[in-house]
Every structure is written in structure tokens, then in C-alpha cells.
Amino acid sequence: KLGKLGESNGSDVSRDCAPVQVITVDQSDSWVNVDDILLFLPHSDPNQIKFLWASEETGYRHLYVVIAALYRGGSARDFPTTDSSLQPRIVSRLQITQGEWEVLNKQVYYDDRYEMVYFHGLADTVLEPHFYAVSIRRPGEIRRLTTPGFSHSVEMSEDCSILATVFSSV
């Protein structure tokens, strides 16, 4: 049973819990497709977070690398403050895939050693899902890793050194 924030009623809610912070939003007057593409990436600045996420703001689902600064209290102008809640501000937003095709709502992989993102998409044809790679250092330059003429479903190892594909021409 949940009570008011801060009440001790045996729930996990307490006044020590920070409120949820919204970092970025997708909005539409008609429809927003929900996907599970969100991957937090390593970042050297402890006051920022870096993540990969998908958005359909162009009309097609594409991948973005977002860096957000996290400030305590109101905003960067108000820093420092006694308010302990985090206030995010987008520092950069880099679109790494683009075009009149869609990134599929499947597992996305990140190789931090080479700053490569691996994903399923329909860049070549809507009839054949393929597996692609794109470098964060060279956004927009995707490379297909699977053989044309087949539909592919790929899984990768955690370190992105091995992939296995199941494919079919049926």
C-alpha cells in the first residue's frame, strides 16, 4: 500500500527518494510509437550522462546519442542550490542514423572500445531486416553486416566480438 511521499507505511517510498527526472521527450499530436531502445553509454564527466535512444521525430525511427548535464536544483544558472533534485539539460544530441528507412525496435549493441553501435534496420529494403553498424565518430555512415537476399535476426556477445544470425529467404 502506498501512502503520501515520506510516510512510513512499509512501502519503498520515502522522503529520501529523489523524484523522477525527465531528460528528453518524444511528442506528437497523433501518435508516438513506444520502443525499448535506450542504452546508457560510458562517459567521462560525472556531471553528465550519455545515452543512445531512438526517436521518430523525422517520421522514421532513428538513433541518437544524447548527452545531458545533471545539475542539483533549479538549473545551471541557479547552481549551487539547496534543492537536491537533479535538473537535466541537454548538452548535445547527435543523430547517428538517418534517411527514409527505419531502425527496428530490437536489441541495440554498443562497443565502447571502437564507439560502434550495432542495430537491426530496414535501410536496404522493407522486406529484409538486416544488421548494421554505425560509428559515433562518423554518424550517418551505416554499414550492412548481413547478406542480402535474406531476413536476419542477430544476437551479439556482450563485448560485440561475436555475432550469430538466424536468417531465412522464406
Side-chain angles (χ1 to χ4, degrees):
K1 178 179 176 183
L2 296 176
K4 292 181 183 173
L5 187 63
E7 283 184 357
S8 178
N9 62 0
S11 72
D12 291 337
V13 178
S14 73
R15 73 174 54 106
D16 295 332
C17 291
V20 172
Q21 301 297 316
V22 176
I23 297 173
T24 187
V25 176
D26 259 354
Q27 292 181 325
S28 171
D29 291 335
S30 56
W31 183 266
V32 174
N33 282 321
V34 177
D35 63 61
D36 295 323
I37 301 174
L38 173 64
L39 186 62
F40 289 95
L41 306 177
H43 193 53
S44 59
D45 188 335
N47 295 314
Q48 296 181 343
I49 59 170
K50 183 177 182 180
F51 59 94
L52 178 76
W53 94 309
S55 173
E56 291 187 16
E57 67 185 48
T58 65
Y60 298 90
R61 183 183 299 120
H62 284 292
L63 300 176
Y64 296 80
V65 174
V66 179
I67 298 176
L70 301 175
Y71 297 98
R72 298 267 177 214
S75 70
R77 292 185 309 272
D78 301 329
F79 190 78
T81 181
T82 57
D83 184 357
S84 65
S85 66
L86 294 175
Q87 302 296 321
R89 179 179 55 85
I90 300 297
V91 173
S92 69
R93 193 166 183 275
L94 175 66
Q95 185 175 357
I96 61 171
T97 62
Q98 59 190 355
E100 294 182 2
W101 57 274
E102 185 166 292
V103 170
L104 295 176
N105 184 21
K106 289 189 168 192
Q107 175 75 40
V108 174
Y109 302 90
Y110 180 71
D111 182 342
D112 61 341
R113 181 176 172 194
Y114 297 107
E115 295 185 298
M116 295 291 293
V117 176
Y118 300 92
F119 62 93
H120 289 87
L122 300 172
D124 296 303
T125 171
V126 296
L127 300 176
E128 296 175 5
H130 284 283
F131 199 59
Y132 300 89
V134 64
S135 170
I136 289 178
R137 293 182 221 150
R138 301 180 81 165
E141 295 183 24
I142 68 164
R143 181 176 208 173
R144 182 178 23 81
L145 303 177
T146 49
T147 307
F150 302 94
S151 294
H152 294 264
S153 182
V154 176
E155 296 290 329
M156 281 193 102
S157 62
E158 192 172 311
D159 66 356
C160 298
S161 63
I162 300 172
L163 70 82
T165 181
V166 175
F167 58 95
S168 172
S169 62
V170 177

